[in-house]
Amino acid sequence: MEFRHLRCFTVLAEELHFGRAAQRLAMTQPPLSLNIQQLEADVGARLFERNSRGVALTAAGLAFLPRAQALLEQAALAAREARDVGQGLAGQLQIGFAGTVLYRGLPQVLRDFSAAHPKLRLALRELSSSEQLVELVHDRLDLGFVHTTRVPAGFSQILVSSQPFMACLPASHPLANAQRLSLDQLRCEAFAIVMRAVSPDYHDRILAACADAGFEPSLAFELRHWLSVVSVIARGLGVGLVPAALQQAGLPSVVFLPLEQALAPYDTHCLWRTGRDPTAQGALGAFLAAVQKAAPPG
């Protein structure tokens, strides 16, 4: 039994006329009759009565019709879903992201992409940049939003955002009303910082900036998330150097001040395995196009 047999059967069952059915199927009557005969042989029962008055469904044909229609509908649905996946209109993407991306870059991409591709499911996992690299290397993520320059060979990337570091102080701090700060003014302070195991690039960059200013910071808190760093500072337990986007977190009792000595910016990259050709994987290609559209020019 073939789908062409079912198609011939259902059209003839709707028309009950060989001429009209053959016209709808873009064929002549002899091949239509042959398809019906082959189907009846496969089923093992006559599906139509043919007489001088026309064509009528037999009891077997009436019983077979809804099942045949269901099979054709399921085949059409399967083909449509496969086509949508191939064209990037359906499917699922596993996406990793570091927490600060929620304040810069990622929300716009997700809004625009979800509106344009409602059948595509995005499964998002919050992971540190180091954790994302492990998952990407083992193909457990399709792409990731990372803050690191330590990108392994075989990966491509798009710069999503670039932002300055700012001094973060408790609102009650004596320097809270300053227009800007030099790092030297923080030499005697207790620092809150992201752990090196979580974000080695920026942990080392902050320590190097303090060293350039002539001091080694006292690390009172080493935390897993930038938001935790700001939360500790909000409780008056230290100071820190944090990405500017954290101003959008809306935490009370902290201030963010520009630095006189600008640190290298805090960059976010969208990262994916180069070998996973986005043009051959519709969902990935469609998402990367949305990322590229939201990326800063240049």
Side-chain angles (χ1 to χ4, degrees):
M1 185 185 305
E2 301 180 18
F3 281 109
R4 62 185 173 88
H5 294 150
L6 297 177
R7 176 66 175 154
C8 289
F9 167 74
T10 56
V11 171
L12 183 57
E14 291 166 5
E15 297 291 343
L16 295 178
H17 188 282
F18 272 90
R20 291 194 301 269
Q23 187 175 13
R24 275 182 59 184
L25 292 163
M27 63 171 58
T28 59
Q29 290 188 44
L32 172 57
S33 296
L34 179 60
N35 275 280
I36 295 301
Q37 292 168 11
Q38 291 171 338
L39 178 60
E40 289 177 329
D42 287 338
V43 172
R46 289 184 62 82
L47 303 174
F48 293 98
E49 292 288 353
R50 306 160 181 84
N51 55 45
S52 59
R53 294 190 301 275
V55 181
L57 283 164
T58 65
L62 286 169
F64 187 64
L65 179 59
R67 300 298 182 96
Q69 291 170 329
L71 285 170
L72 289 171
E73 289 172 2
Q74 290 173 9
L77 177 61
R80 185 164 57 251
E81 289 180 348
R83 184 171 59 252
D84 287 346
V85 170
Q87 295 175 352
L89 302 176
Q92 177 174 292
L93 285 175
Q94 297 285 338
I95 300 172
F97 70 97
T100 51
V101 185
L102 293 174
Y103 304 108
R104 185 72 62 92
L106 184 58
Q108 178 186 344
V109 172
L110 294 178
R111 283 194 300 269
D112 293 347
F113 184 80
S114 296
H117 301 84
K119 294 182 182 179
L120 260 169
R121 180 174 177 268
L122 304 179
L124 291 107
R125 297 168 58 195
E126 183 180 2
L127 300 165
S128 71
S129 295
S130 299
E131 291 168 336
Q132 287 185 67
L133 290 179
V134 172
E135 297 298 282
L136 285 163
V137 166
H138 289 90
D139 291 325
R140 292 191 288 263
L141 288 176
D142 293 301
L143 53 93
F145 288 85
V146 302
H147 308 297
T148 181
T149 58
R150 304 168 192 244
V151 177
F155 282 83
S156 299
Q157 55 187 315
I158 298 171
L159 178 65
V160 177
S161 71
S162 185
Q163 55 186 298
F165 276 92
M166 302 186 76
C168 182
L169 280 66
S172 59
H173 195 281
L175 297 172
N177 294 321
Q179 293 298 308
R180 60 182 55 244
L181 289 180
S182 70
L183 282 176
D184 182 66
Q185 291 176 281
L186 302 177
R187 67 168 53 242
C188 296
E189 302 285 347
F191 271 71
I193 191 172
V194 169
M195 296 168 60
R196 191 177 193 283
V198 172
S199 185
D201 297 67
Y202 296 104
H203 181 99
D204 292 350
R205 186 176 297 178
I206 290 170
L207 295 187
C210 293
D212 290 343
F215 70 98
E216 180 180 347
S218 172
L219 303 183
F221 295 90
E222 297 190 54
L223 305 159
R224 288 190 54 82
H225 301 284
W226 285 109
L227 197 57
S228 300
V229 171
V230 178
S231 297
V232 163
I233 295 169
R235 286 161 176 74
L237 300 175
V239 302
L241 303 176
V242 303
L246 284 166
Q247 295 176 92
Q248 300 173 31
L251 289 178
S253 306
V254 293
V255 296
F256 298 86
L257 302 174
L259 293 166
E260 290 181 357
Q261 307 99 324
L263 278 67
Y266 185 78
D267 291 340
T268 301
H269 288 89
C270 178
L271 195 67
W272 73 98
R273 187 185 288 279
T274 306
R276 302 184 71 176
D277 181 5
T279 61
Q281 299 186 43
L284 177 60
F287 192 84
L288 291 174
V291 173
Q292 187 66 68
K293 181 179 178 181

